[in-house]
């Protein structure tokens, strides 16, 4: 069927907006194209969803603090009130203890965590891509996964001393074991149809690895990175048992000796806040690297 000239869509409706001049000499914008209008609507929808999630997050935190204050003020739970914890946080912030402890723990976690994922990702790719490497490395990885990183502390003290090295090593081991398995699973779970299609099109192994395997494995890798980050913060308290003189874990252990619950809570909340901020950074990187992936 052939459309009459009057029924055909006007191509001008799909062009970009341009300046037009009326008979009176006034300048105005031409009607916006349909594609730009749809893009702006999608962007506004995305911003609205993010604002809605942020509002829910804030409300959830406020509700949690209110519930905590209600139970502790009424004496139902033998814990410090939010006001007492806030006062202690102000005191530690003024005398500099809070900042020095947070900086020490953050430096240890960052060092061990970054070293762990820097080693885990290449090894995970090797295990997933080469069967020989998998056969050689996997037994060691599975063996050390069954040993808690905290159990390595006595060995680390004896072999590495009591300086920063054993603390960072224990955190490194924790993040490494979490990330290497996720990377390995990401490689072995790549859709074989994609690899075969690339081979049919004449791609070599290196091109397939770079253009197919790595992008398809990124969602798994980023999950492993997030798990490794959580494991690093979970390990730092025990790692600071190794003759530490500063750090949030060290401060908690000192407060335990004097039954100083507000100080313990300040350190706990500080660890949670720092871990949450680092997790949000990892999520932002994940969103950038896996922008092609459809997500809820």
């Amino acid at each position: 069927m052939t459309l009459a000239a009057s029924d055909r869509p006007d191509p001008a409706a799909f062009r970009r907006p341009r300046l037009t001049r009326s008979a009176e000499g006034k300048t105005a914008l031409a009607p916006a194209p349909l594609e730009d209008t749809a893009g702006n609507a999608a962007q506004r929808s995305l911003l609205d969803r993010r604002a809605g999630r942020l509002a829910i997050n804030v409300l959830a935190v406020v509700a949690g603090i209110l519930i905590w204050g209600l139970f502790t003020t009424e004496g139902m739970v033998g814990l410090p009130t939010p006001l007492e914890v806030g006062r202690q946080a102000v005191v530690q912030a003024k005398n500099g203890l809070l900042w020095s402890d947070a900086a020490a723990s953050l430096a240890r976690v960052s060092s061990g965590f970054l070293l762990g994922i820097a080693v885990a990702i290449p090894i995970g790719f090797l295990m997933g891509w080469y069967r020989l490497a998998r056969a050689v490395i996997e037994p060691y990885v599975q063996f050390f996964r069954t040993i808690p990183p905290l159990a390595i502390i006595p060995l680390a003290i004896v072999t590495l001393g009591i300086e920063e090295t054993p603390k960072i090593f224990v955190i490194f081991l924790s993040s490494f074991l979490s990330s290497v398995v996720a990377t390995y699973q990401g490689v072995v779970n790549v859709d074989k149809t994609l690899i075969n299609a690339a081979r049919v099109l004449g791609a070599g192994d290196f091109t397939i690895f770079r253009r197919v395997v790595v992008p398809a494995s990124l969602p798994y890798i980023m999950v492993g990175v997030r798990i490794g980050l959580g494991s690093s913060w979970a390990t730092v308290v025990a790692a600071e048992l190794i003759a530490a003189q500063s750090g949030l874990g060290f401060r908690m252990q000192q407060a335990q000796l004097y039954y100083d619950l507000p100080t313990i809570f300040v350190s706990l909340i500080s660890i949670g806040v720092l871990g949450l901020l680092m997790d949000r950074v990892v999520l932002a990187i994940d969103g950038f690297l896996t922008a092609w992936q459809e997500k809820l």
Side-chain angles (χ1 to χ4, degrees), residues 105 108-109 150 153 167 170-171 230-244 246-254 256 264 267-268 271-272:
S105 294
R108 290 169 184 140
V109 168
L150 304 184
I153 289 179
K167 304 177 185 63
V170 174
I171 298 171
S231 300
S232 299
W233 277 107
T235 309
V236 69
V237 175
E240 289 177 345
L241 283 168
I242 309 174
S246 62
L248 296 170
F250 165 77
R251 195 64 53 194
M252 291 172 60
Q253 294 162 33
Q254 292 296 308
Q256 176 191 1
I264 294 176
S267 297
L268 281 174
I271 290 174

PDB file of all heavy atoms in Angstrom, residues 105 108-109 150 153 167 170-171 230-244 246-254 256 264 267-268 271-272:
ATOM      1  N   SER A 105      42.866   2.875  60.153  1.00  0.00           N
ATOM      2  CA  SER A 105      42.111   1.709  59.682  1.00  0.00           C
ATOM      3  C   SER A 105      41.837   1.795  58.191  1.00  0.00           C
ATOM      4  O   SER A 105      41.914   0.792  57.463  1.00  0.00           O
ATOM      5  CB  SER A 105      40.786   1.599  60.446  1.00  0.00           C
ATOM      6  OG  SER A 105      41.007   1.318  61.814  1.00  0.00           O
ATOM      7  N   ARG A 108      44.946   0.805  56.222  1.00  0.00           N
ATOM      8  CA  ARG A 108      45.191  -0.637  56.237  1.00  0.00           C
ATOM      9  C   ARG A 108      44.203  -1.375  55.330  1.00  0.00           C
ATOM     10  O   ARG A 108      44.594  -2.268  54.563  1.00  0.00           O
ATOM     11  CB  ARG A 108      45.084  -1.157  57.663  1.00  0.00           C
ATOM     12  CG  ARG A 108      46.221  -0.701  58.572  1.00  0.00           C
ATOM     13  CD  ARG A 108      45.953  -1.013  60.028  1.00  0.00           C
ATOM     14  NE  ARG A 108      47.007  -0.480  60.883  1.00  0.00           N
ATOM     15  CZ  ARG A 108      46.805   0.100  62.058  1.00  0.00           C
ATOM     16  NH1 ARG A 108      45.568   0.221  62.531  1.00  0.00           N
ATOM     17  NH2 ARG A 108      47.818   0.562  62.768  1.00  0.00           N
ATOM     18  N   VAL A 109      42.927  -1.014  55.433  1.00  0.00           N
ATOM     19  CA  VAL A 109      41.925  -1.685  54.615  1.00  0.00           C
ATOM     20  C   VAL A 109      42.169  -1.406  53.134  1.00  0.00           C
ATOM     21  O   VAL A 109      42.112  -2.320  52.298  1.00  0.00           O
ATOM     22  CB  VAL A 109      40.507  -1.233  55.034  1.00  0.00           C
ATOM     23  CG1 VAL A 109      39.475  -1.696  54.013  1.00  0.00           C
ATOM     24  CG2 VAL A 109      40.158  -1.792  56.400  1.00  0.00           C
ATOM     25  N   LEU A 150      41.570 -14.995  59.983  1.00  0.00           N
ATOM     26  CA  LEU A 150      41.972 -14.674  61.361  1.00  0.00           C
ATOM     27  C   LEU A 150      42.883 -15.745  61.942  1.00  0.00           C
ATOM     28  O   LEU A 150      43.696 -15.467  62.831  1.00  0.00           O
ATOM     29  CB  LEU A 150      40.725 -14.512  62.243  1.00  0.00           C
ATOM     30  CG  LEU A 150      39.685 -13.481  61.767  1.00  0.00           C
ATOM     31  CD1 LEU A 150      38.570 -13.356  62.773  1.00  0.00           C
ATOM     32  CD2 LEU A 150      40.351 -12.142  61.525  1.00  0.00           C
ATOM     33  N   ILE A 153      46.666 -15.123  61.732  1.00  0.00           N
ATOM     34  CA  ILE A 153      47.305 -14.051  62.502  1.00  0.00           C
ATOM     35  C   ILE A 153      48.534 -14.544  63.276  1.00  0.00           C
ATOM     36  O   ILE A 153      49.596 -13.907  63.226  1.00  0.00           O
ATOM     37  CB  ILE A 153      46.285 -13.386  63.449  1.00  0.00           C
ATOM     38  CG1 ILE A 153      45.292 -12.570  62.611  1.00  0.00           C
ATOM     39  CG2 ILE A 153      46.980 -12.485  64.471  1.00  0.00           C
ATOM     40  CD1 ILE A 153      44.223 -11.885  63.422  1.00  0.00           C
ATOM     41  N   LYS A 167      49.349  -6.966  59.388  1.00  0.00           N
ATOM     42  CA  LYS A 167      47.967  -6.481  59.378  1.00  0.00           C
ATOM     43  C   LYS A 167      47.456  -6.396  57.941  1.00  0.00           C
ATOM     44  O   LYS A 167      46.344  -6.848  57.625  1.00  0.00           O
ATOM     45  CB  LYS A 167      47.883  -5.110  60.048  1.00  0.00           C
ATOM     46  CG  LYS A 167      48.416  -5.050  61.482  1.00  0.00           C
ATOM     47  CD  LYS A 167      48.346  -3.654  62.018  1.00  0.00           C
ATOM     48  CE  LYS A 167      48.968  -3.513  63.383  1.00  0.00           C
ATOM     49  NZ  LYS A 167      50.395  -3.799  63.438  1.00  0.00           N
ATOM     50  N   VAL A 170      46.880  -9.942  56.315  1.00  0.00           N
ATOM     51  CA  VAL A 170      45.653 -10.639  56.692  1.00  0.00           C
ATOM     52  C   VAL A 170      44.462 -10.059  55.938  1.00  0.00           C
ATOM     53  O   VAL A 170      43.579 -10.796  55.457  1.00  0.00           O
ATOM     54  CB  VAL A 170      45.438 -10.544  58.220  1.00  0.00           C
ATOM     55  CG1 VAL A 170      44.090 -11.126  58.602  1.00  0.00           C
ATOM     56  CG2 VAL A 170      46.547 -11.275  58.960  1.00  0.00           C
ATOM     57  N   ILE A 171      44.409  -8.743  55.791  1.00  0.00           N
ATOM     58  CA  ILE A 171      43.331  -8.108  55.037  1.00  0.00           C
ATOM     59  C   ILE A 171      43.438  -8.474  53.558  1.00  0.00           C
ATOM     60  O   ILE A 171      42.428  -8.731  52.886  1.00  0.00           O
ATOM     61  CB  ILE A 171      43.372  -6.589  55.239  1.00  0.00           C
ATOM     62  CG1 ILE A 171      43.146  -6.253  56.712  1.00  0.00           C
ATOM     63  CG2 ILE A 171      42.331  -5.892  54.373  1.00  0.00           C
ATOM     64  CD1 ILE A 171      43.366  -4.798  57.058  1.00  0.00           C
ATOM     65  N   GLY A 230      33.853  -5.906  51.848  1.00  0.00           N
ATOM     66  CA  GLY A 230      33.219  -6.220  53.126  1.00  0.00           C
ATOM     67  C   GLY A 230      34.078  -7.119  53.993  1.00  0.00           C
ATOM     68  O   GLY A 230      34.170  -6.922  55.218  1.00  0.00           O
ATOM     69  N   SER A 231      34.730  -8.104  53.374  1.00  0.00           N
ATOM     70  CA  SER A 231      35.614  -8.993  54.133  1.00  0.00           C
ATOM     71  C   SER A 231      36.809  -8.230  54.706  1.00  0.00           C
ATOM     72  O   SER A 231      37.273  -8.530  55.817  1.00  0.00           O
ATOM     73  CB  SER A 231      36.108 -10.126  53.230  1.00  0.00           C
ATOM     74  OG  SER A 231      35.032 -10.894  52.733  1.00  0.00           O
ATOM     75  N   SER A 232      37.292  -7.254  53.973  1.00  0.00           N
ATOM     76  CA  SER A 232      38.435  -6.467  54.449  1.00  0.00           C
ATOM     77  C   SER A 232      38.079  -5.683  55.707  1.00  0.00           C
ATOM     78  O   SER A 232      38.845  -5.660  56.673  1.00  0.00           O
ATOM     79  CB  SER A 232      38.902  -5.511  53.349  1.00  0.00           C
ATOM     80  OG  SER A 232      39.319  -6.209  52.206  1.00  0.00           O
ATOM     81  N   TRP A 233      36.915  -5.049  55.695  1.00  0.00           N
ATOM     82  CA  TRP A 233      36.509  -4.305  56.891  1.00  0.00           C
ATOM     83  C   TRP A 233      36.175  -5.241  58.052  1.00  0.00           C
ATOM     84  O   TRP A 233      36.381  -4.899  59.211  1.00  0.00           O
ATOM     85  CB  TRP A 233      35.306  -3.421  56.565  1.00  0.00           C
ATOM     86  CG  TRP A 233      35.690  -2.120  55.938  1.00  0.00           C
ATOM     87  CD1 TRP A 233      35.531  -1.753  54.634  1.00  0.00           C
ATOM     88  CD2 TRP A 233      36.336  -1.014  56.584  1.00  0.00           C
ATOM     89  NE1 TRP A 233      36.028  -0.494  54.440  1.00  0.00           N
ATOM     90  CE2 TRP A 233      36.526  -0.012  55.615  1.00  0.00           C
ATOM     91  CE3 TRP A 233      36.768  -0.782  57.886  1.00  0.00           C
ATOM     92  CZ2 TRP A 233      37.125   1.209  55.899  1.00  0.00           C
ATOM     93  CZ3 TRP A 233      37.370   0.433  58.173  1.00  0.00           C
ATOM     94  CH2 TRP A 233      37.539   1.415  57.204  1.00  0.00           C
ATOM     95  N   ALA A 234      35.640  -6.423  57.730  1.00  0.00           N
ATOM     96  CA  ALA A 234      35.345  -7.385  58.790  1.00  0.00           C
ATOM     97  C   ALA A 234      36.615  -7.921  59.432  1.00  0.00           C
ATOM     98  O   ALA A 234      36.606  -8.344  60.595  1.00  0.00           O
ATOM     99  CB  ALA A 234      34.520  -8.543  58.232  1.00  0.00           C
ATOM    100  N   THR A 235      37.716  -7.904  58.689  1.00  0.00           N
ATOM    101  CA  THR A 235      38.981  -8.459  59.187  1.00  0.00           C
ATOM    102  C   THR A 235      39.835  -7.428  59.902  1.00  0.00           C
ATOM    103  O   THR A 235      40.717  -7.785  60.686  1.00  0.00           O
ATOM    104  CB  THR A 235      39.782  -9.056  58.011  1.00  0.00           C
ATOM    105  OG1 THR A 235      38.946  -9.945  57.277  1.00  0.00           O
ATOM    106  CG2 THR A 235      40.994  -9.829  58.490  1.00  0.00           C
ATOM    107  N   VAL A 236      39.598  -6.136  59.652  1.00  0.00           N
ATOM    108  CA  VAL A 236      40.520  -5.112  60.156  1.00  0.00           C
ATOM    109  C   VAL A 236      40.542  -5.075  61.687  1.00  0.00           C
ATOM    110  O   VAL A 236      41.593  -4.800  62.290  1.00  0.00           O
ATOM    111  CB  VAL A 236      40.147  -3.731  59.581  1.00  0.00           C
ATOM    112  CG1 VAL A 236      38.832  -3.219  60.141  1.00  0.00           C
ATOM    113  CG2 VAL A 236      41.259  -2.725  59.856  1.00  0.00           C
ATOM    114  N   VAL A 237      39.412  -5.354  62.328  1.00  0.00           N
ATOM    115  CA  VAL A 237      39.383  -5.310  63.797  1.00  0.00           C
ATOM    116  C   VAL A 237      40.321  -6.363  64.373  1.00  0.00           C
ATOM    117  O   VAL A 237      41.124  -6.087  65.261  1.00  0.00           O
ATOM    118  CB  VAL A 237      37.948  -5.527  64.314  1.00  0.00           C
ATOM    119  CG1 VAL A 237      37.939  -5.608  65.836  1.00  0.00           C
ATOM    120  CG2 VAL A 237      37.044  -4.393  63.845  1.00  0.00           C
ATOM    121  N   ALA A 238      40.240  -7.594  63.848  1.00  0.00           N
ATOM    122  CA  ALA A 238      41.137  -8.641  64.324  1.00  0.00           C
ATOM    123  C   ALA A 238      42.570  -8.360  63.910  1.00  0.00           C
ATOM    124  O   ALA A 238      43.506  -8.658  64.648  1.00  0.00           O
ATOM    125  CB  ALA A 238      40.686  -9.994  63.785  1.00  0.00           C
ATOM    126  N   ALA A 239      42.759  -7.789  62.714  1.00  0.00           N
ATOM    127  CA  ALA A 239      44.116  -7.484  62.258  1.00  0.00           C
ATOM    128  C   ALA A 239      44.784  -6.464  63.175  1.00  0.00           C
ATOM    129  O   ALA A 239      46.005  -6.499  63.373  1.00  0.00           O
ATOM    130  CB  ALA A 239      44.088  -6.966  60.827  1.00  0.00           C
ATOM    131  N   GLU A 240      44.006  -5.563  63.749  1.00  0.00           N
ATOM    132  CA  GLU A 240      44.574  -4.547  64.643  1.00  0.00           C
ATOM    133  C   GLU A 240      44.838  -5.079  66.042  1.00  0.00           C
ATOM    134  O   GLU A 240      45.252  -4.328  66.927  1.00  0.00           O
ATOM    135  CB  GLU A 240      43.641  -3.340  64.681  1.00  0.00           C
ATOM    136  CG  GLU A 240      43.669  -2.569  63.360  1.00  0.00           C
ATOM    137  CD  GLU A 240      42.716  -1.396  63.314  1.00  0.00           C
ATOM    138  OE1 GLU A 240      41.823  -1.323  64.163  1.00  0.00           O
ATOM    139  OE2 GLU A 240      42.863  -0.563  62.406  1.00  0.00           O
ATOM    140  N   LEU A 241      44.590  -6.373  66.239  1.00  0.00           N
ATOM    141  CA  LEU A 241      45.058  -7.022  67.471  1.00  0.00           C
ATOM    142  C   LEU A 241      46.573  -7.184  67.476  1.00  0.00           C
ATOM    143  O   LEU A 241      47.170  -7.429  68.524  1.00  0.00           O
ATOM    144  CB  LEU A 241      44.414  -8.408  67.608  1.00  0.00           C
ATOM    145  CG  LEU A 241      42.950  -8.470  68.072  1.00  0.00           C
ATOM    146  CD1 LEU A 241      42.416  -9.881  67.864  1.00  0.00           C
ATOM    147  CD2 LEU A 241      42.826  -8.067  69.519  1.00  0.00           C
ATOM    148  N   ILE A 242      47.178  -7.083  66.286  1.00  0.00           N
ATOM    149  CA  ILE A 242      48.610  -7.346  66.158  1.00  0.00           C
ATOM    150  C   ILE A 242      49.384  -6.099  66.563  1.00  0.00           C
ATOM    151  O   ILE A 242      49.827  -5.310  65.736  1.00  0.00           O
ATOM    152  CB  ILE A 242      48.969  -7.765  64.719  1.00  0.00           C
ATOM    153  CG1 ILE A 242      48.058  -8.903  64.250  1.00  0.00           C
ATOM    154  CG2 ILE A 242      50.428  -8.189  64.624  1.00  0.00           C
ATOM    155  CD1 ILE A 242      48.244  -9.287  62.799  1.00  0.00           C
ATOM    156  N   ALA A 243      49.496  -5.882  67.863  1.00  0.00           N
ATOM    157  CA  ALA A 243      50.325  -4.807  68.420  1.00  0.00           C
ATOM    158  C   ALA A 243      50.055  -3.454  67.774  1.00  0.00           C
ATOM    159  O   ALA A 243      50.974  -2.680  67.512  1.00  0.00           O
ATOM    160  CB  ALA A 243      51.803  -5.158  68.284  1.00  0.00           C
ATOM    161  N   ALA A 244      48.786  -3.141  67.511  1.00  0.00           N
ATOM    162  CA  ALA A 244      48.453  -1.843  66.925  1.00  0.00           C
ATOM    163  C   ALA A 244      48.415  -0.778  68.006  1.00  0.00           C
ATOM    164  O   ALA A 244      48.112  -1.045  69.175  1.00  0.00           O
ATOM    165  CB  ALA A 244      47.107  -1.921  66.217  1.00  0.00           C
ATOM    166  N   SER A 246      46.948   2.318  67.019  1.00  0.00           N
ATOM    167  CA  SER A 246      45.887   3.192  66.542  1.00  0.00           C
ATOM    168  C   SER A 246      44.973   2.371  65.642  1.00  0.00           C
ATOM    169  O   SER A 246      45.305   1.260  65.227  1.00  0.00           O
ATOM    170  CB  SER A 246      46.460   4.390  65.770  1.00  0.00           C
ATOM    171  OG  SER A 246      47.169   3.944  64.618  1.00  0.00           O
ATOM    172  N   GLY A 247      43.818   2.928  65.343  1.00  0.00           N
ATOM    173  CA  GLY A 247      42.858   2.233  64.498  1.00  0.00           C
ATOM    174  C   GLY A 247      41.529   2.075  65.216  1.00  0.00           C
ATOM    175  O   GLY A 247      41.466   2.057  66.452  1.00  0.00           O
ATOM    176  N   LEU A 248      40.470   1.954  64.460  1.00  0.00           N
ATOM    177  CA  LEU A 248      39.142   1.814  65.053  1.00  0.00           C
ATOM    178  C   LEU A 248      38.999   0.497  65.813  1.00  0.00           C
ATOM    179  O   LEU A 248      38.369   0.446  66.876  1.00  0.00           O
ATOM    180  CB  LEU A 248      38.083   1.913  63.949  1.00  0.00           C
ATOM    181  CG  LEU A 248      38.022   3.264  63.231  1.00  0.00           C
ATOM    182  CD1 LEU A 248      37.114   3.183  62.005  1.00  0.00           C
ATOM    183  CD2 LEU A 248      37.539   4.351  64.175  1.00  0.00           C
ATOM    184  N   GLY A 249      39.574  -0.579  65.275  1.00  0.00           N
ATOM    185  CA  GLY A 249      39.552  -1.847  65.996  1.00  0.00           C
ATOM    186  C   GLY A 249      40.347  -1.782  67.286  1.00  0.00           C
ATOM    187  O   GLY A 249      39.915  -2.299  68.329  1.00  0.00           O
ATOM    188  N   PHE A 250      41.512  -1.149  67.238  1.00  0.00           N
ATOM    189  CA  PHE A 250      42.327  -0.969  68.444  1.00  0.00           C
ATOM    190  C   PHE A 250      41.566  -0.164  69.488  1.00  0.00           C
ATOM    191  O   PHE A 250      41.577  -0.511  70.677  1.00  0.00           O
ATOM    192  CB  PHE A 250      43.625  -0.259  68.071  1.00  0.00           C
ATOM    193  CG  PHE A 250      44.377   0.298  69.246  1.00  0.00           C
ATOM    194  CD1 PHE A 250      45.122  -0.532  70.068  1.00  0.00           C
ATOM    195  CD2 PHE A 250      44.325   1.652  69.531  1.00  0.00           C
ATOM    196  CE1 PHE A 250      45.815  -0.017  71.157  1.00  0.00           C
ATOM    197  CE2 PHE A 250      45.008   2.175  70.617  1.00  0.00           C
ATOM    198  CZ  PHE A 250      45.759   1.335  71.441  1.00  0.00           C
ATOM    199  N   ARG A 251      40.856   0.896  69.076  1.00  0.00           N
ATOM    200  CA  ARG A 251      40.113   1.723  70.025  1.00  0.00           C
ATOM    201  C   ARG A 251      38.981   0.942  70.655  1.00  0.00           C
ATOM    202  O   ARG A 251      38.691   1.093  71.855  1.00  0.00           O
ATOM    203  CB  ARG A 251      39.576   2.949  69.301  1.00  0.00           C
ATOM    204  CG  ARG A 251      39.093   4.066  70.218  1.00  0.00           C
ATOM    205  CD  ARG A 251      40.201   4.642  71.043  1.00  0.00           C
ATOM    206  NE  ARG A 251      41.334   5.056  70.209  1.00  0.00           N
ATOM    207  CZ  ARG A 251      42.538   5.340  70.691  1.00  0.00           C
ATOM    208  NH1 ARG A 251      42.776   5.206  71.994  1.00  0.00           N
ATOM    209  NH2 ARG A 251      43.503   5.718  69.885  1.00  0.00           N
ATOM    210  N   MET A 252      38.328   0.078  69.899  1.00  0.00           N
ATOM    211  CA  MET A 252      37.267  -0.752  70.445  1.00  0.00           C
ATOM    212  C   MET A 252      37.797  -1.705  71.507  1.00  0.00           C
ATOM    213  O   MET A 252      37.164  -1.917  72.554  1.00  0.00           O
ATOM    214  CB  MET A 252      36.587  -1.540  69.319  1.00  0.00           C
ATOM    215  CG  MET A 252      35.767  -0.701  68.370  1.00  0.00           C
ATOM    216  SD  MET A 252      35.181  -1.651  66.949  1.00  0.00           S
ATOM    217  CE  MET A 252      34.204  -2.896  67.757  1.00  0.00           C
ATOM    218  N   GLN A 253      38.962  -2.294  71.247  1.00  0.00           N
ATOM    219  CA  GLN A 253      39.540  -3.225  72.216  1.00  0.00           C
ATOM    220  C   GLN A 253      39.959  -2.514  73.497  1.00  0.00           C
ATOM    221  O   GLN A 253      39.805  -3.048  74.595  1.00  0.00           O
ATOM    222  CB  GLN A 253      40.731  -3.923  71.576  1.00  0.00           C
ATOM    223  CG  GLN A 253      40.349  -4.821  70.410  1.00  0.00           C
ATOM    224  CD  GLN A 253      41.523  -5.144  69.536  1.00  0.00           C
ATOM    225  OE1 GLN A 253      42.641  -5.264  70.001  1.00  0.00           O
ATOM    226  NE2 GLN A 253      41.291  -5.279  68.237  1.00  0.00           N
ATOM    227  N   GLN A 254      40.481  -1.301  73.363  1.00  0.00           N
ATOM    228  CA  GLN A 254      40.827  -0.525  74.552  1.00  0.00           C
ATOM    229  C   GLN A 254      39.577  -0.154  75.336  1.00  0.00           C
ATOM    230  O   GLN A 254      39.568  -0.203  76.576  1.00  0.00           O
ATOM    231  CB  GLN A 254      41.580   0.743  74.137  1.00  0.00           C
ATOM    232  CG  GLN A 254      42.955   0.485  73.550  1.00  0.00           C
ATOM    233  CD  GLN A 254      43.902  -0.135  74.561  1.00  0.00           C
ATOM    234  OE1 GLN A 254      44.075   0.378  75.667  1.00  0.00           O
ATOM    235  NE2 GLN A 254      44.519  -1.242  74.192  1.00  0.00           N
ATOM    236  N   GLN A 256      36.833  -1.795  75.467  1.00  0.00           N
ATOM    237  CA  GLN A 256      36.278  -2.995  76.078  1.00  0.00           C
ATOM    238  C   GLN A 256      36.845  -3.225  77.474  1.00  0.00           C
ATOM    239  O   GLN A 256      36.134  -3.667  78.377  1.00  0.00           O
ATOM    240  CB  GLN A 256      36.570  -4.197  75.180  1.00  0.00           C
ATOM    241  CG  GLN A 256      36.116  -5.521  75.755  1.00  0.00           C
ATOM    242  CD  GLN A 256      36.654  -6.712  74.965  1.00  0.00           C
ATOM    243  OE1 GLN A 256      37.390  -6.524  73.988  1.00  0.00           O
ATOM    244  NE2 GLN A 256      36.320  -7.907  75.382  1.00  0.00           N
ATOM    245  N   ILE A 264      32.899   2.229  72.031  1.00  0.00           N
ATOM    246  CA  ILE A 264      32.742   1.060  71.165  1.00  0.00           C
ATOM    247  C   ILE A 264      31.758   1.366  70.040  1.00  0.00           C
ATOM    248  O   ILE A 264      31.995   1.039  68.869  1.00  0.00           O
ATOM    249  CB  ILE A 264      32.294  -0.165  71.980  1.00  0.00           C
ATOM    250  CG1 ILE A 264      33.389  -0.587  72.962  1.00  0.00           C
ATOM    251  CG2 ILE A 264      31.927  -1.327  71.057  1.00  0.00           C
ATOM    252  CD1 ILE A 264      32.996  -1.726  73.885  1.00  0.00           C
ATOM    253  N   SER A 267      33.264   3.649  67.324  1.00  0.00           N
ATOM    254  CA  SER A 267      34.138   2.920  66.398  1.00  0.00           C
ATOM    255  C   SER A 267      33.327   2.037  65.455  1.00  0.00           C
ATOM    256  O   SER A 267      33.622   1.953  64.257  1.00  0.00           O
ATOM    257  CB  SER A 267      35.145   2.070  67.179  1.00  0.00           C
ATOM    258  OG  SER A 267      35.997   2.883  67.961  1.00  0.00           O
ATOM    259  N   LEU A 268      32.299   1.377  65.995  1.00  0.00           N
ATOM    260  CA  LEU A 268      31.452   0.533  65.148  1.00  0.00           C
ATOM    261  C   LEU A 268      30.776   1.352  64.046  1.00  0.00           C
ATOM    262  O   LEU A 268      30.776   0.968  62.872  1.00  0.00           O
ATOM    263  CB  LEU A 268      30.387  -0.156  66.001  1.00  0.00           C
ATOM    264  CG  LEU A 268      30.813  -1.383  66.810  1.00  0.00           C
ATOM    265  CD1 LEU A 268      29.681  -1.836  67.707  1.00  0.00           C
ATOM    266  CD2 LEU A 268      31.242  -2.513  65.896  1.00  0.00           C
ATOM    267  N   ILE A 271      33.282   2.473  61.374  1.00  0.00           N
ATOM    268  CA  ILE A 271      33.602   1.399  60.430  1.00  0.00           C
ATOM    269  C   ILE A 271      32.469   1.227  59.424  1.00  0.00           C
ATOM    270  O   ILE A 271      32.698   1.080  58.216  1.00  0.00           O
ATOM    271  CB  ILE A 271      33.871   0.087  61.189  1.00  0.00           C
ATOM    272  CG1 ILE A 271      35.192   0.182  61.956  1.00  0.00           C
ATOM    273  CG2 ILE A 271      33.912  -1.102  60.230  1.00  0.00           C
ATOM    274  CD1 ILE A 271      35.468  -1.015  62.857  1.00  0.00           C
ATOM    275  N   GLY A 272      31.227   1.248  59.921  1.00  0.00           N
ATOM    276  CA  GLY A 272      30.094   1.090  59.025  1.00  0.00           C
ATOM    277  C   GLY A 272      29.984   2.221  58.012  1.00  0.00           C
ATOM    278  O   GLY A 272      29.712   1.986  56.828  1.00  0.00           O
TER     279      GLY A 272
END
